[in-house]
Amino acid sequence: MKKQVALGIDVGGTNTTFGFIDRDGNYLADGNILTQTHEDISDYLRELHYEIEKVTDTIREKVDIVGIGIGAPNGNFYKGTIEFAPNLRWKGVVRLCDLLKEYYPQLPIYMTNDANAAAIGEMVYGGAKGMKDFIMVTLGTGLGSGFVANGQLIYGHDGFAGELGHVIVAPNGRQCGCGRLGCLETYVSATGVKRTAYKMLARYTAPSILRTIPFNDMTAKIVADAALKGDQIAIDIFKYTGKMLGEALANAVTYTSPEAIFLFGGLTKAGDLLFKPTHDHMEMNMLKIFANKVKLLPSQLDKNAAIYGSAALVWNELKV
Ligand SMILES: [Zn+2]
């Protein structure tokens, strides 16, 4: 009997990666293409289809593809469109699912944004298995989030619900890529950590390894490594980042009363440097009825998490 698999596709700013994964999380085969080579979406899809078929040929005898899931920046679940994604070459509204459907008319195709896909990945394959209420927070260049309530991902009226990264946490604060001031992701993200680093270095005179790093070379990882070596300014940068995140999570808890909040992405590699201040400030600001009830956990998705999330979208929609 052929094994049922979902095809997960992650459209990233640089690479588009895809893989075939079964319901139990077994990873069968994968491939990738560069996202930005083609200015025309049709040319991009032609190359993607060619690569997918090439990889499919290696497993075609063994598998039965049940659907395609796509995670993409500003992906709209309802319309199957990518809308005004700042980091992609295709401007405006791109009808990605409709166009891909021309190659795969027999398969259901689902799309959502990358953070929502990660949330579903956590629910189907990761640490949120069996949970009905949780929040996924993805910490990368920006901050993404997906809210699951009553076992369902909340898409909202227009398909874009769950944008914790653009909750204003500091009125008239740092300028955000969305054009407004003081959004959470300007503080809590790899970019946010870098901005905090320069602010702290300017404000305090204490010696720090970070003072020797040229502006363009500074990364969240360098700050984390310095903090692990005991560099006080680097430690304070993570304390500040955790404070901003913890306060925002305490507020987020009041909306959906989650059982757990999962943190995913590069910044979480800092471990307790980030988790401890985040947890402390979350509890410090928590409404009493929620105090000490909400678990703050690292994501259980690791390698190929974006593809797992996209494939999980298929299983979640097909309810198999
Ligand atoms: Zn914003």
Side-chain angles (χ1 to χ4, degrees):
M1 201 179 124
K2 285 187 173 185
K3 185 171 248 184
Q4 290 198 319
V5 295
L7 169 59
I9 303 174
D10 176 60
V11 182
T14 309
N15 291 299
T16 295
T17 50
F18 61 87
F20 296 90
I21 305 174
D22 72 11
R23 182 66 183 82
D24 299 324
N26 297 306
Y27 201 92
L28 278 90
D30 62 7
N32 65 84
I33 66 167
L34 290 172
T35 306
Q36 310 275 34
T37 315
H38 305 290
E39 199 172 337
D40 187 335
I41 184 78
S42 306
D43 296 336
Y44 164 81
L45 285 171
R46 193 173 302 119
E47 187 189 347
L48 181 62
H49 172 252
Y50 177 80
E51 288 300 320
I52 289 172
E53 288 307 299
K54 218 165 72 181
V55 175
T56 308
D57 282 342
T58 65
I59 53 170
R60 208 181 289 277
E61 302 295 303
K62 297 182 287 186
V63 302
D64 178 19
I65 303 169
V66 297
I68 301 175
I70 305 167
N74 289 15
N76 187 309
F77 176 76
Y78 293 132
K79 298 180 190 157
T81 47
I82 296 176
E83 304 193 10
F84 306 98
N87 298 323
L88 298 179
R89 273 179 90 172
W90 317 306
K91 299 302 166 206
V93 178
V94 181
R95 294 167 38 247
L96 191 79
C97 285
D98 282 353
L99 294 167
L100 190 62
K101 191 93 185 156
E102 291 171 17
Y103 290 98
Y104 298 99
Q106 76 285 17
L107 292 179
I109 303 178
Y110 307 102
M111 179 162 73
T112 188
N113 75 37
D114 11 22
N116 284 345
I120 294 172
E122 200 70 46
M123 184 162 64
V124 173
Y125 296 123
K129 264 186 206 168
M131 283 189 193
K132 287 198 163 311
D133 299 274
F134 69 94
I135 301 173
M136 180 83 173
V137 176
T138 64
L139 301 166
T141 315
L143 185 154
S145 63
F147 285 66
V148 172
N150 300 327
Q152 305 259 321
L153 193 104
I154 300 178
Y155 288 108
H157 175 65
D158 63 1
F160 290 120
E163 285 288 349
L164 200 56
H166 299 281
V167 161
I168 292 173
V169 294
N172 295 312
R174 295 178 185 172
Q175 185 161 34
C176 183
C178 73
R180 303 179 310 152
L181 299 176
C183 291
L184 182 63
E185 80 167 20
T186 66
Y187 299 88
V188 184
S189 62
T191 330
V193 164
K194 181 173 171 174
R195 292 169 85 167
T196 301
Y198 282 99
K199 197 177 154 204
M200 294 267 191
L201 289 169
R203 179 180 292 176
Y204 301 108
T205 56
S208 169
I209 310 165
L210 302 179
R211 294 193 188 281
T212 62
I213 313 288
F215 185 83
N216 286 330
D217 296 346
M218 181 75 85
T219 61
K221 184 170 185 314
I222 290 174
V223 179
D225 289 344
L228 287 168
K229 285 181 195 148
D231 188 285
Q232 193 55 49
I233 284 192
I235 291 169
D236 288 348
I237 292 165
F238 272 96
K239 279 188 184 162
Y240 180 77
T241 308
K243 174 178 181 291
M244 297 305 270
L245 178 57
E247 288 171 359
L249 293 181
N251 284 335
V253 165
T254 65
Y255 293 117
T256 55
S257 178
E259 176 182 347
I261 298 171
F262 292 89
L263 302 185
F264 170 84
L267 274 192
T268 63
K269 296 204 170 70
D272 273 353
L273 280 172
L274 179 73
F275 276 83
K276 190 172 182 317
T278 303
H279 189 263
D280 288 350
H281 286 274
M282 181 173 89
E283 289 302 339
M284 232 182 271
N285 292 281
M286 196 72 98
L287 194 64
K288 206 168 184 174
I289 48 172
F290 299 116
N292 301 309
K293 285 182 184 168
V294 183
K295 290 172 264 188
L296 183 68
L297 302 168
S299 165
Q300 299 298 310
L301 296 175
D302 193 8
K303 202 167 159 275
N304 302 320
I307 298 175
Y308 270 94
S310 311
L313 191 57
V314 175
W315 302 115
N316 191 52
E317 288 305 316
L318 295 178
K319 307 283 180 221
V320 286

